[in-house]
Amino acid sequence: MLLGKPDRERGFAKERLHRVPLNHPDGDLSRYAVAKQADVSTAWAYDYLDQLATDGLVDETRVLEPNALYERWRDTRIPPGP
């Protein structure tokens, strides 16, 4: 089965940035390592991780509310095209 191109282009970075902490919930990665694994700029990653911290979902890179962070990922997930 071949997957088509997604319907939109925006949101891939945010989706990746959600996925990395969800896969390393103990906070064993630094914020810099999260940015590198997500393949996003460090400045943007730090800002977005700060937003997630303000919302009470993470503390640095340790996931505090995995279900809520997963739901945030689901909201931003970009499904493959038909």
Side-chain angles (χ1 to χ4, degrees):
M1 165 198 222
L2 294 176
L3 298 176
K5 195 171 182 178
D7 293 336
R8 62 185 176 143
E9 296 293 324
R10 294 182 53 90
F12 285 112
K14 192 177 283 189
E15 180 184 356
R16 289 192 309 267
L17 196 60
H18 288 133
R19 241 185 294 132
V20 173
L22 284 169
N23 286 319
H24 301 277
D26 297 337
D28 54 342
L29 297 177
S30 67
R31 290 164 32 129
Y32 179 80
V34 169
K36 289 301 165 195
Q37 282 197 14
D39 193 25
V40 299
S41 75
T42 52
W44 184 81
Y46 285 23
D47 286 344
Y48 193 68
L49 287 169
D50 286 343
Q51 289 177 28
L52 294 176
T54 299
D55 292 343
L57 302 179
V58 299
D59 178 23
E60 290 295 317
T61 63
R62 187 169 54 92
V63 177
L64 301 175
E65 296 291 336
N67 291 334
L69 185 57
Y70 177 75
E71 287 302 319
R72 179 94 45 112
W73 171 79
R74 282 186 58 190
D75 291 343
T76 61
R77 182 177 176 273
I78 300 169

